Amino acid sequence: MQIKRISSNSDIVKIMEELSVDKPGIKIMSKKSEIYFFYIKDLHIGAANILKQDALSVGADLALPNGAITCSFKKCDALLIGTKKHIEILSRKELAQPYGLKELARELKRYIKKSNFELKIMGVINANDESFYPRSRFKGERALEAIEKMIEDGADIIDIGGVSTRPGSDEVDENIEFERVKDIIDFIYRTRLFEQVNFSIDSYRPKIVEYALDRGFSIANDITGLENDEMAKVVAKYGVKVVLMHKKGEPKTMQIDPRYEDVVLEVAEFFKKRIEKAEKFGITRENIVLDPGIGFGKRVEHNLELLKCLSNFKKFGCEILVGASRKSMIDKIIPTPVEKRLPGTLAIHLKAYEEGASIIRCHDVKEHRQAFAVYERMR
């Protein structure tokens, strides 16, 4: 007899299929192969003690602070630990319990409902002179050459933007932004490049977004997250995808001492409200993409926490986009000029994909395609 330990990232279902395990058995056992951790804040002490006993009864557990069992305080934080099977059973049990446990049960169900999306690489074309990475700036014929090169390198989406929204940037007049992207949009439409790859317009101005959507673009990348009602109307009219990005403050000042009590919960609450707004305007959830806005009004520790907790946002059932390509958070971790931040970028994006991101926005399409091909083969 021989034995080997299997990686926790292994495809357990595939292994059981190769063992010729019967299908009902695979379905049951696969739910036991992944451990879930839920940090619960401000839990009523009565709810905490009920949840502790119920968790133990199904094989899960709830970590509570000292004094919880004697009700030494009215509320506390807790850590729930269990497999998918444990959480499924527990969420059913708590529907019959008081102290807010019904809502907790409904929320747990949202978290364990799986929504899987295929990986998509989004290349970046900055049709301006302000973007923080000089090699991503393309205007005129150079932009068209860059688009064709990205298609050749394997981009699934190409994001076109006429203004920079990097930290410290000034707002650009709408007419100037439009003039920067108009010829590129017209070329894409005239040559029907949109039949080869999806195009995204990176703008928060309805007039510019509508011009692009009317000419073959299929994604509106809005850094304000549908702050403008007119933008919501345009997206709904064309029935396309929209990227809802979170940012704190305006680009000019957003990196001046940004603070959060809990960055993951604050971003999740933002997404909840903006998804509700989008749906009121007739935008379907299938057409909503969530972007936590790495580097937009966030310190390094905020960015790292969001990346580690990306799976938290999967409960919304939407695709998740992450764009940390060559950003300054890499330089703050290990001093590196923007031209040499590709290794750090790949490390971040591979982690983001592992945690649930399915759209990766980057400057280096070919290198990302290679890195993800190798990563997928190892998985």
mmCIF file of all heavy atoms in Angstrom, residues 221-270:
data_model
loop_
_atom_site.group_PDB
_atom_site.id
_atom_site.type_symbol
_atom_site.label_atom_id
_atom_site.label_comp_id
_atom_site.label_asym_id
_atom_site.label_seq_id
_atom_site.Cartn_x
_atom_site.Cartn_y
_atom_site.Cartn_z
ATOM 1 N N ASN A 221 -17.457 50.163 -19.010
ATOM 2 C CA ASN A 221 -16.612 50.077 -17.820
ATOM 3 C C ASN A 221 -16.702 51.415 -17.084
ATOM 4 O O ASN A 221 -16.039 52.386 -17.448
ATOM 5 C CB ASN A 221 -15.171 49.768 -18.219
ATOM 6 C CG ASN A 221 -14.281 49.486 -17.028
ATOM 7 O OD1 ASN A 221 -14.740 49.483 -15.880
ATOM 8 N ND2 ASN A 221 -13.008 49.255 -17.282
ATOM 9 N N ASP A 222 -17.549 51.455 -16.052
ATOM 10 C CA ASP A 222 -17.889 52.709 -15.370
ATOM 11 C C ASP A 222 -17.231 52.775 -13.989
ATOM 12 O O ASP A 222 -17.671 52.092 -13.064
ATOM 13 C CB ASP A 222 -19.411 52.817 -15.242
ATOM 14 C CG ASP A 222 -19.871 54.108 -14.587
ATOM 15 O OD1 ASP A 222 -19.020 54.983 -14.313
ATOM 16 O OD2 ASP A 222 -21.081 54.245 -14.329
ATOM 17 N N ILE A 223 -16.210 53.626 -13.845
ATOM 18 C CA ILE A 223 -15.510 53.706 -12.553
ATOM 19 C C ILE A 223 -16.382 54.309 -11.457
ATOM 20 O O ILE A 223 -16.047 54.203 -10.280
ATOM 21 C CB ILE A 223 -14.193 54.502 -12.646
ATOM 22 C CG1 ILE A 223 -14.465 55.987 -12.921
ATOM 23 C CG2 ILE A 223 -13.247 53.892 -13.660
ATOM 24 C CD1 ILE A 223 -13.308 56.884 -12.568
ATOM 25 N N THR A 224 -17.504 54.920 -11.820
ATOM 26 C CA THR A 224 -18.397 55.481 -10.797
ATOM 27 C C THR A 224 -19.478 54.488 -10.379
ATOM 28 O O THR A 224 -20.271 54.772 -9.488
ATOM 29 C CB THR A 224 -19.082 56.771 -11.284
ATOM 30 O OG1 THR A 224 -20.072 56.458 -12.278
ATOM 31 C CG2 THR A 224 -18.071 57.746 -11.868
ATOM 32 N N GLY A 225 -19.520 53.326 -11.024
ATOM 33 C CA GLY A 225 -20.495 52.306 -10.636
ATOM 34 C C GLY A 225 -21.936 52.728 -10.826
ATOM 35 O O GLY A 225 -22.770 52.549 -9.938
ATOM 36 N N LEU A 226 -22.259 53.300 -12.002
ATOM 37 C CA LEU A 226 -23.619 53.762 -12.325
ATOM 38 C C LEU A 226 -24.103 54.869 -11.386
ATOM 39 O O LEU A 226 -25.272 54.924 -11.025
ATOM 40 C CB LEU A 226 -24.628 52.605 -12.319
ATOM 41 C CG LEU A 226 -24.491 51.544 -13.401
ATOM 42 C CD1 LEU A 226 -25.638 50.543 -13.311
ATOM 43 C CD2 LEU A 226 -24.436 52.155 -14.795
ATOM 44 N N GLU A 227 -23.204 55.748 -11.029
ATOM 45 C CA GLU A 227 -23.605 56.895 -10.214
ATOM 46 C C GLU A 227 -24.604 57.762 -10.974
ATOM 47 O O GLU A 227 -25.545 58.306 -10.408
ATOM 48 C CB GLU A 227 -22.351 57.712 -9.874
ATOM 49 C CG GLU A 227 -22.566 58.839 -8.914
ATOM 50 C CD GLU A 227 -21.265 59.507 -8.548
ATOM 51 O OE1 GLU A 227 -20.477 58.919 -7.780
ATOM 52 O OE2 GLU A 227 -21.015 60.627 -9.062
ATOM 53 N N ASN A 228 -24.403 57.872 -12.289
ATOM 54 C CA ASN A 228 -25.258 58.674 -13.158
ATOM 55 C C ASN A 228 -26.427 57.826 -13.679
ATOM 56 O O ASN A 228 -26.223 56.798 -14.316
ATOM 57 C CB ASN A 228 -24.421 59.207 -14.325
ATOM 58 C CG ASN A 228 -25.168 60.217 -15.182
ATOM 59 O OD1 ASN A 228 -26.385 60.225 -15.231
ATOM 60 N ND2 ASN A 228 -24.411 61.066 -15.858
ATOM 61 N N ASP A 229 -27.655 58.273 -13.436
ATOM 62 C CA ASP A 229 -28.837 57.551 -13.909
ATOM 63 C C ASP A 229 -28.843 57.409 -15.431
ATOM 64 O O ASP A 229 -29.328 56.409 -15.970
ATOM 65 C CB ASP A 229 -30.119 58.259 -13.472
ATOM 66 C CG ASP A 229 -30.370 58.132 -11.976
ATOM 67 O OD1 ASP A 229 -29.580 57.466 -11.285
ATOM 68 O OD2 ASP A 229 -31.371 58.715 -11.485
ATOM 69 N N GLU A 230 -28.334 58.429 -16.125
ATOM 70 C CA GLU A 230 -28.316 58.383 -17.590
ATOM 71 C C GLU A 230 -27.449 57.230 -18.086
ATOM 72 O O GLU A 230 -27.747 56.613 -19.104
ATOM 73 C CB GLU A 230 -27.811 59.710 -18.158
ATOM 74 C CG GLU A 230 -28.781 60.864 -17.975
ATOM 75 C CD GLU A 230 -30.160 60.574 -18.564
ATOM 76 O OE1 GLU A 230 -30.215 60.127 -19.741
ATOM 77 O OE2 GLU A 230 -31.160 60.773 -17.856
ATOM 78 N N MET A 231 -26.374 56.953 -17.369
ATOM 79 C CA MET A 231 -25.522 55.826 -17.736
ATOM 80 C C MET A 231 -26.289 54.511 -17.599
ATOM 81 O O MET A 231 -26.207 53.631 -18.464
ATOM 82 C CB MET A 231 -24.268 55.790 -16.853
ATOM 83 C CG MET A 231 -23.342 54.631 -17.146
ATOM 84 S SD MET A 231 -22.506 54.745 -18.729
ATOM 85 C CE MET A 231 -21.125 55.786 -18.249
ATOM 86 N N ALA A 232 -27.043 54.380 -16.516
ATOM 87 C CA ALA A 232 -27.842 53.170 -16.302
ATOM 88 C C ALA A 232 -28.854 52.987 -17.435
ATOM 89 O O ALA A 232 -29.080 51.871 -17.910
ATOM 90 C CB ALA A 232 -28.551 53.248 -14.957
ATOM 91 N N LYS A 233 -29.449 54.082 -17.880
ATOM 92 C CA LYS A 233 -30.428 54.018 -18.977
ATOM 93 C C LYS A 233 -29.767 53.563 -20.278
ATOM 94 O O LYS A 233 -30.333 52.755 -21.031
ATOM 95 C CB LYS A 233 -31.078 55.390 -19.178
ATOM 96 C CG LYS A 233 -31.999 55.823 -18.047
ATOM 97 C CD LYS A 233 -32.519 57.241 -18.268
ATOM 98 C CE LYS A 233 -33.353 57.724 -17.089
ATOM 99 N NZ LYS A 233 -33.786 59.134 -17.248
ATOM 100 N N VAL A 234 -28.575 54.080 -20.560
ATOM 101 C CA VAL A 234 -27.861 53.717 -21.786
ATOM 102 C C VAL A 234 -27.499 52.234 -21.775
ATOM 103 O O VAL A 234 -27.707 51.515 -22.757
ATOM 104 C CB VAL A 234 -26.580 54.577 -21.943
ATOM 105 C CG1 VAL A 234 -25.694 54.011 -23.053
ATOM 106 C CG2 VAL A 234 -26.961 56.021 -22.254
ATOM 107 N N VAL A 235 -26.967 51.753 -20.656
ATOM 108 C CA VAL A 235 -26.581 50.339 -20.552
ATOM 109 C C VAL A 235 -27.801 49.440 -20.720
ATOM 110 O O VAL A 235 -27.755 48.434 -21.439
ATOM 111 C CB VAL A 235 -25.886 50.068 -19.201
ATOM 112 C CG1 VAL A 235 -25.662 48.573 -18.994
ATOM 113 C CG2 VAL A 235 -24.555 50.818 -19.114
ATOM 114 N N ALA A 236 -28.902 49.802 -20.063
ATOM 115 C CA ALA A 236 -30.133 49.009 -20.167
ATOM 116 C C ALA A 236 -30.667 49.013 -21.598
ATOM 117 O O ALA A 236 -31.150 47.989 -22.099
ATOM 118 C CB ALA A 236 -31.176 49.564 -19.208
ATOM 119 N N LYS A 237 -30.572 50.140 -22.259
ATOM 120 C CA LYS A 237 -31.065 50.278 -23.644
ATOM 121 C C LYS A 237 -30.372 49.299 -24.581
ATOM 122 O O LYS A 237 -31.010 48.684 -25.444
ATOM 123 C CB LYS A 237 -30.843 51.717 -24.115
ATOM 124 C CG LYS A 237 -31.156 51.962 -25.593
ATOM 125 C CD LYS A 237 -30.826 53.403 -25.969
ATOM 126 C CE LYS A 237 -30.984 53.628 -27.470
ATOM 127 N NZ LYS A 237 -30.620 55.022 -27.847
ATOM 128 N N TYR A 238 -29.067 49.134 -24.423
ATOM 129 C CA TYR A 238 -28.302 48.280 -25.323
ATOM 130 C C TYR A 238 -28.185 46.840 -24.823
ATOM 131 O O TYR A 238 -27.701 45.970 -25.554
ATOM 132 C CB TYR A 238 -26.911 48.876 -25.553
ATOM 133 C CG TYR A 238 -26.945 50.075 -26.479
ATOM 134 C CD1 TYR A 238 -27.183 51.354 -25.973
ATOM 135 C CD2 TYR A 238 -26.784 49.931 -27.854
ATOM 136 C CE1 TYR A 238 -27.243 52.463 -26.810
ATOM 137 C CE2 TYR A 238 -26.838 51.033 -28.702
ATOM 138 C CZ TYR A 238 -27.071 52.293 -28.176
ATOM 139 O OH TYR A 238 -27.139 53.395 -29.013
ATOM 140 N N GLY A 239 -28.589 46.573 -23.598
ATOM 141 C CA GLY A 239 -28.564 45.210 -23.061
ATOM 142 C C GLY A 239 -27.169 44.624 -22.979
ATOM 143 O O GLY A 239 -26.969 43.423 -23.219
ATOM 144 N N VAL A 240 -26.189 45.465 -22.640
ATOM 145 C CA VAL A 240 -24.789 45.016 -22.595
ATOM 146 C C VAL A 240 -24.324 44.845 -21.150
ATOM 147 O O VAL A 240 -25.039 45.153 -20.203
ATOM 148 C CB VAL A 240 -23.870 46.035 -23.311
ATOM 149 C CG1 VAL A 240 -24.207 46.107 -24.780
ATOM 150 C CG2 VAL A 240 -23.971 47.408 -22.644
ATOM 151 N N LYS A 241 -23.098 44.379 -21.008
ATOM 152 C CA LYS A 241 -22.511 44.239 -19.675
ATOM 153 C C LYS A 241 -22.024 45.594 -19.162
ATOM 154 O O LYS A 241 -21.616 46.455 -19.946
ATOM 155 C CB LYS A 241 -21.336 43.250 -19.695
ATOM 156 C CG LYS A 241 -21.755 41.800 -19.880
ATOM 157 C CD LYS A 241 -20.558 40.878 -19.740
ATOM 158 C CE LYS A 241 -20.960 39.423 -19.901
ATOM 159 N NZ LYS A 241 -21.803 38.957 -18.783
ATOM 160 N N VAL A 242 -22.054 45.755 -17.843
ATOM 161 C CA VAL A 242 -21.534 46.962 -17.219
ATOM 162 C C VAL A 242 -20.635 46.573 -16.052
ATOM 163 O O VAL A 242 -20.956 45.675 -15.279
ATOM 164 C CB VAL A 242 -22.668 47.898 -16.741
ATOM 165 C CG1 VAL A 242 -23.557 47.223 -15.693
ATOM 166 C CG2 VAL A 242 -22.106 49.206 -16.198
ATOM 167 N N VAL A 243 -19.483 47.226 -15.965
ATOM 168 C CA VAL A 243 -18.561 47.007 -14.850
ATOM 169 C C VAL A 243 -18.848 48.063 -13.790
ATOM 170 O O VAL A 243 -18.749 49.262 -14.051
ATOM 171 C CB VAL A 243 -17.089 47.108 -15.306
ATOM 172 C CG1 VAL A 243 -16.157 46.895 -14.105
ATOM 173 C CG2 VAL A 243 -16.796 46.093 -16.396
ATOM 174 N N LEU A 244 -19.233 47.605 -12.597
ATOM 175 C CA LEU A 244 -19.485 48.504 -11.474
ATOM 176 C C LEU A 244 -18.244 48.513 -10.595
ATOM 177 O O LEU A 244 -17.951 47.538 -9.918
ATOM 178 C CB LEU A 244 -20.697 48.026 -10.658
ATOM 179 C CG LEU A 244 -22.009 47.813 -11.418
ATOM 180 C CD1 LEU A 244 -23.094 47.358 -10.456
ATOM 181 C CD2 LEU A 244 -22.435 49.089 -12.130
ATOM 182 N N MET A 245 -17.509 49.618 -10.625
ATOM 183 C CA MET A 245 -16.282 49.690 -9.836
ATOM 184 C C MET A 245 -16.491 50.494 -8.565
ATOM 185 O O MET A 245 -17.204 51.495 -8.561
ATOM 186 C CB MET A 245 -15.152 50.317 -10.643
ATOM 187 C CG MET A 245 -13.780 50.106 -10.009
ATOM 188 S SD MET A 245 -12.476 51.120 -10.723
ATOM 189 C CE MET A 245 -12.742 52.657 -9.841
ATOM 190 N N HIS A 246 -15.842 50.051 -7.497
ATOM 191 C CA HIS A 246 -15.887 50.804 -6.236
ATOM 192 C C HIS A 246 -14.674 51.723 -6.162
ATOM 193 O O HIS A 246 -13.546 51.328 -6.463
ATOM 194 C CB HIS A 246 -15.855 49.853 -5.036
ATOM 195 C CG HIS A 246 -15.750 50.578 -3.722
ATOM 196 N ND1 HIS A 246 -14.536 50.974 -3.181
ATOM 197 C CD2 HIS A 246 -16.706 51.009 -2.862
ATOM 198 C CE1 HIS A 246 -14.748 51.608 -2.044
ATOM 199 N NE2 HIS A 246 -16.049 51.642 -1.827
ATOM 200 N N LYS A 247 -14.912 52.942 -5.780
ATOM 201 C CA LYS A 247 -13.829 53.867 -5.479
ATOM 202 C C LYS A 247 -14.262 54.737 -4.308
ATOM 203 O O LYS A 247 -15.455 54.952 -4.092
ATOM 204 C CB LYS A 247 -13.458 54.746 -6.677
ATOM 205 C CG LYS A 247 -14.535 55.716 -7.136
ATOM 206 C CD LYS A 247 -14.037 56.538 -8.309
ATOM 207 C CE LYS A 247 -15.127 57.463 -8.831
ATOM 208 N NZ LYS A 247 -15.542 58.492 -7.865
ATOM 209 N N LYS A 248 -13.296 55.218 -3.558
ATOM 210 C CA LYS A 248 -13.602 56.091 -2.428
ATOM 211 C C LYS A 248 -13.049 57.475 -2.744
ATOM 212 O O LYS A 248 -11.835 57.659 -2.814
ATOM 213 C CB LYS A 248 -12.987 55.565 -1.143
ATOM 214 C CG LYS A 248 -13.488 56.276 0.106
ATOM 215 C CD LYS A 248 -13.339 55.387 1.324
ATOM 216 C CE LYS A 248 -14.062 56.026 2.502
ATOM 217 N NZ LYS A 248 -14.333 55.083 3.580
ATOM 218 N N GLY A 249 -13.943 58.442 -2.967
ATOM 219 C CA GLY A 249 -13.510 59.784 -3.312
ATOM 220 C C GLY A 249 -13.302 59.953 -4.802
ATOM 221 O O GLY A 249 -13.648 59.092 -5.613
ATOM 222 N N GLU A 250 -12.705 61.071 -5.185
ATOM 223 C CA GLU A 250 -12.443 61.392 -6.578
ATOM 224 C C GLU A 250 -10.968 61.152 -6.896
ATOM 225 O O GLU A 250 -10.109 61.238 -6.011
ATOM 226 C CB GLU A 250 -12.810 62.853 -6.860
ATOM 227 C CG GLU A 250 -14.274 63.171 -6.620
ATOM 228 C CD GLU A 250 -15.202 62.245 -7.406
ATOM 229 O OE1 GLU A 250 -14.916 62.008 -8.608
ATOM 230 O OE2 GLU A 250 -16.186 61.759 -6.827
ATOM 231 N N PRO A 251 -10.637 60.840 -8.172
ATOM 232 C CA PRO A 251 -9.254 60.521 -8.528
ATOM 233 C C PRO A 251 -8.218 61.529 -8.028
ATOM 234 O O PRO A 251 -7.135 61.131 -7.598
ATOM 235 C CB PRO A 251 -9.296 60.485 -10.064
ATOM 236 C CG PRO A 251 -10.682 60.004 -10.365
ATOM 237 C CD PRO A 251 -11.555 60.661 -9.318
ATOM 238 N N LYS A 252 -8.563 62.817 -8.050
ATOM 239 C CA LYS A 252 -7.597 63.846 -7.658
ATOM 240 C C LYS A 252 -7.135 63.682 -6.210
ATOM 241 O O LYS A 252 -5.960 63.918 -5.888
ATOM 242 C CB LYS A 252 -8.233 65.242 -7.846
ATOM 243 C CG LYS A 252 -7.293 66.411 -7.558
ATOM 244 C CD LYS A 252 -6.216 66.531 -8.610
ATOM 245 C CE LYS A 252 -5.343 67.748 -8.385
ATOM 246 N NZ LYS A 252 -4.232 67.817 -9.357
ATOM 247 N N THR A 253 -8.052 63.277 -5.325
ATOM 248 C CA THR A 253 -7.731 63.259 -3.886
ATOM 249 C C THR A 253 -7.931 61.903 -3.209
ATOM 250 O O THR A 253 -7.734 61.786 -2.005
ATOM 251 C CB THR A 253 -8.603 64.294 -3.158
ATOM 252 O OG1 THR A 253 -9.998 63.992 -3.408
ATOM 253 C CG2 THR A 253 -8.319 65.707 -3.650
ATOM 254 N N MET A 254 -8.314 60.860 -3.957
ATOM 255 C CA MET A 254 -8.757 59.617 -3.317
ATOM 256 C C MET A 254 -7.668 58.874 -2.539
ATOM 257 O O MET A 254 -7.970 58.069 -1.661
ATOM 258 C CB MET A 254 -9.387 58.672 -4.343
ATOM 259 C CG MET A 254 -8.459 58.199 -5.433
ATOM 260 S SD MET A 254 -9.396 57.280 -6.687
ATOM 261 C CE MET A 254 -8.116 56.987 -7.903
ATOM 262 N N GLN A 255 -6.393 59.146 -2.834
ATOM 263 C CA GLN A 255 -5.333 58.444 -2.110
ATOM 264 C C GLN A 255 -4.791 59.243 -0.921
ATOM 265 O O GLN A 255 -3.809 58.848 -0.302
ATOM 266 C CB GLN A 255 -4.184 58.096 -3.057
ATOM 267 C CG GLN A 255 -4.495 56.918 -3.986
ATOM 268 C CD GLN A 255 -4.933 55.664 -3.249
ATOM 269 O OE1 GLN A 255 -6.106 55.297 -3.284
ATOM 270 N NE2 GLN A 255 -4.021 55.005 -2.575
ATOM 271 N N ILE A 256 -5.479 60.331 -0.591
ATOM 272 C CA ILE A 256 -5.070 61.120 0.578
ATOM 273 C C ILE A 256 -5.753 60.544 1.817
ATOM 274 O O ILE A 256 -6.914 60.809 2.099
ATOM 275 C CB ILE A 256 -5.426 62.611 0.413
ATOM 276 C CG1 ILE A 256 -4.727 63.190 -0.826
ATOM 277 C CG2 ILE A 256 -5.038 63.401 1.665
ATOM 278 C CD1 ILE A 256 -5.094 64.617 -1.136
ATOM 279 N N ASP A 257 -5.027 59.695 2.521
ATOM 280 C CA ASP A 257 -5.471 59.122 3.794
ATOM 281 C C ASP A 257 -6.832 58.417 3.734
ATOM 282 O O ASP A 257 -7.735 58.724 4.513
ATOM 283 C CB ASP A 257 -5.516 60.229 4.858
ATOM 284 C CG ASP A 257 -5.529 59.655 6.276
ATOM 285 O OD1 ASP A 257 -5.041 58.530 6.457
ATOM 286 O OD2 ASP A 257 -6.051 60.335 7.178
ATOM 287 N N PRO A 258 -7.036 57.455 2.818
ATOM 288 C CA PRO A 258 -8.304 56.711 2.796
ATOM 289 C C PRO A 258 -8.445 55.809 4.015
ATOM 290 O O PRO A 258 -7.481 55.159 4.432
ATOM 291 C CB PRO A 258 -8.201 55.882 1.512
ATOM 292 C CG PRO A 258 -6.737 55.712 1.296
ATOM 293 C CD PRO A 258 -6.079 56.965 1.803
ATOM 294 N N ARG A 259 -9.627 55.762 4.594
ATOM 295 C CA ARG A 259 -9.868 54.956 5.796
ATOM 296 C C ARG A 259 -11.154 54.143 5.674
ATOM 297 O O ARG A 259 -12.124 54.589 5.072
ATOM 298 C CB ARG A 259 -9.947 55.849 7.036
ATOM 299 C CG ARG A 259 -8.639 56.557 7.359
ATOM 300 C CD ARG A 259 -8.756 57.461 8.582
ATOM 301 N NE ARG A 259 -7.489 58.132 8.855
ATOM 302 C CZ ARG A 259 -6.511 57.622 9.584
ATOM 303 N NH1 ARG A 259 -6.666 56.414 10.117
ATOM 304 N NH2 ARG A 259 -5.392 58.294 9.792
ATOM 305 N N TYR A 260 -11.142 52.956 6.268
ATOM 306 C CA TYR A 260 -12.308 52.076 6.304
ATOM 307 C C TYR A 260 -12.374 51.406 7.677
ATOM 308 O O TYR A 260 -11.339 51.071 8.248
ATOM 309 C CB TYR A 260 -12.198 50.960 5.257
ATOM 310 C CG TYR A 260 -12.131 51.422 3.826
ATOM 311 C CD1 TYR A 260 -10.913 51.804 3.251
ATOM 312 C CD2 TYR A 260 -13.264 51.451 3.022
ATOM 313 C CE1 TYR A 260 -10.829 52.212 1.933
ATOM 314 C CE2 TYR A 260 -13.198 51.846 1.692
ATOM 315 C CZ TYR A 260 -11.981 52.229 1.156
ATOM 316 O OH TYR A 260 -11.900 52.629 -0.158
ATOM 317 N N GLU A 261 -13.578 51.180 8.159
ATOM 318 C CA GLU A 261 -13.714 50.357 9.358
ATOM 319 C C GLU A 261 -13.505 48.896 8.983
ATOM 320 O O GLU A 261 -12.837 48.142 9.679
ATOM 321 C CB GLU A 261 -15.099 50.553 9.986
ATOM 322 C CG GLU A 261 -15.282 49.778 11.277
ATOM 323 C CD GLU A 261 -16.618 50.028 11.935
ATOM 324 O OE1 GLU A 261 -17.205 51.110 11.727
ATOM 325 O OE2 GLU A 261 -17.093 49.137 12.654
ATOM 326 N N ASP A 262 -14.098 48.493 7.855
ATOM 327 C CA ASP A 262 -13.904 47.150 7.300
ATOM 328 C C ASP A 262 -14.075 47.276 5.799
ATOM 329 O O ASP A 262 -15.192 47.418 5.299
ATOM 330 C CB ASP A 262 -14.915 46.158 7.886
ATOM 331 C CG ASP A 262 -14.634 44.717 7.460
ATOM 332 O OD1 ASP A 262 -14.438 44.497 6.254
ATOM 333 O OD2 ASP A 262 -14.602 43.832 8.328
ATOM 334 N N VAL A 263 -12.977 47.256 5.060
ATOM 335 C CA VAL A 263 -13.022 47.549 3.633
ATOM 336 C C VAL A 263 -13.864 46.529 2.857
ATOM 337 O O VAL A 263 -14.591 46.886 1.926
ATOM 338 C CB VAL A 263 -11.597 47.635 3.042
ATOM 339 C CG1 VAL A 263 -10.876 46.301 3.083
ATOM 340 C CG2 VAL A 263 -11.629 48.198 1.631
ATOM 341 N N VAL A 264 -13.813 45.256 3.239
ATOM 342 C CA VAL A 264 -14.570 44.226 2.523
ATOM 343 C C VAL A 264 -16.070 44.442 2.697
ATOM 344 O O VAL A 264 -16.837 44.390 1.725
ATOM 345 C CB VAL A 264 -14.169 42.814 2.996
ATOM 346 C CG1 VAL A 264 -15.037 41.748 2.324
ATOM 347 C CG2 VAL A 264 -12.696 42.559 2.689
ATOM 348 N N LEU A 265 -16.495 44.718 3.932
ATOM 349 C CA LEU A 265 -17.920 44.938 4.169
ATOM 350 C C LEU A 265 -18.410 46.220 3.507
ATOM 351 O O LEU A 265 -19.536 46.267 2.992
ATOM 352 C CB LEU A 265 -18.202 44.992 5.680
ATOM 353 C CG LEU A 265 -18.014 43.671 6.443
ATOM 354 C CD1 LEU A 265 -18.318 43.868 7.915
ATOM 355 C CD2 LEU A 265 -18.905 42.569 5.856
ATOM 356 N N GLU A 266 -17.575 47.247 3.499
ATOM 357 C CA GLU A 266 -17.983 48.515 2.883
ATOM 358 C C GLU A 266 -18.132 48.366 1.371
ATOM 359 O O GLU A 266 -19.092 48.861 0.776
ATOM 360 C CB GLU A 266 -16.979 49.618 3.216
ATOM 361 C CG GLU A 266 -17.443 50.991 2.766
ATOM 362 C CD GLU A 266 -16.622 52.135 3.339
ATOM 363 O OE1 GLU A 266 -16.222 52.059 4.522
ATOM 364 O OE2 GLU A 266 -16.382 53.116 2.606
ATOM 365 N N VAL A 267 -17.188 47.672 0.741
ATOM 366 C CA VAL A 267 -17.274 47.452 -0.701
ATOM 367 C C VAL A 267 -18.471 46.554 -1.029
ATOM 368 O O VAL A 267 -19.185 46.788 -2.005
ATOM 369 C CB VAL A 267 -15.958 46.840 -1.238
ATOM 370 C CG1 VAL A 267 -16.107 46.424 -2.699
ATOM 371 C CG2 VAL A 267 -14.818 47.852 -1.094
ATOM 372 N N ALA A 268 -18.724 45.543 -0.205
ATOM 373 C CA ALA A 268 -19.874 44.654 -0.420
ATOM 374 C C ALA A 268 -21.188 45.424 -0.331
ATOM 375 O O ALA A 268 -22.113 45.193 -1.123
ATOM 376 C CB ALA A 268 -19.865 43.515 0.595
ATOM 377 N N GLU A 269 -21.284 46.345 0.616
ATOM 378 C CA GLU A 269 -22.499 47.149 0.762
ATOM 379 C C GLU A 269 -22.678 48.059 -0.453
ATOM 380 O O GLU A 269 -23.807 48.256 -0.928
ATOM 381 C CB GLU A 269 -22.421 47.986 2.041
ATOM 382 C CG GLU A 269 -23.669 48.792 2.350
ATOM 383 C CD GLU A 269 -24.931 47.950 2.572
ATOM 384 O OE1 GLU A 269 -24.790 46.743 2.877
ATOM 385 O OE2 GLU A 269 -26.044 48.500 2.428
ATOM 386 N N PHE A 270 -21.582 48.606 -0.965
ATOM 387 C CA PHE A 270 -21.637 49.424 -2.181
ATOM 388 C C PHE A 270 -22.164 48.594 -3.351
ATOM 389 O O PHE A 270 -23.056 49.031 -4.087
ATOM 390 C CB PHE A 270 -20.239 49.964 -2.502
ATOM 391 C CG PHE A 270 -20.127 50.635 -3.843
ATOM 392 C CD1 PHE A 270 -20.475 51.963 -4.000
ATOM 393 C CD2 PHE A 270 -19.659 49.926 -4.952
ATOM 394 C CE1 PHE A 270 -20.375 52.583 -5.245
ATOM 395 C CE2 PHE A 270 -19.559 50.535 -6.195
ATOM 396 C CZ PHE A 270 -19.912 51.868 -6.347
#
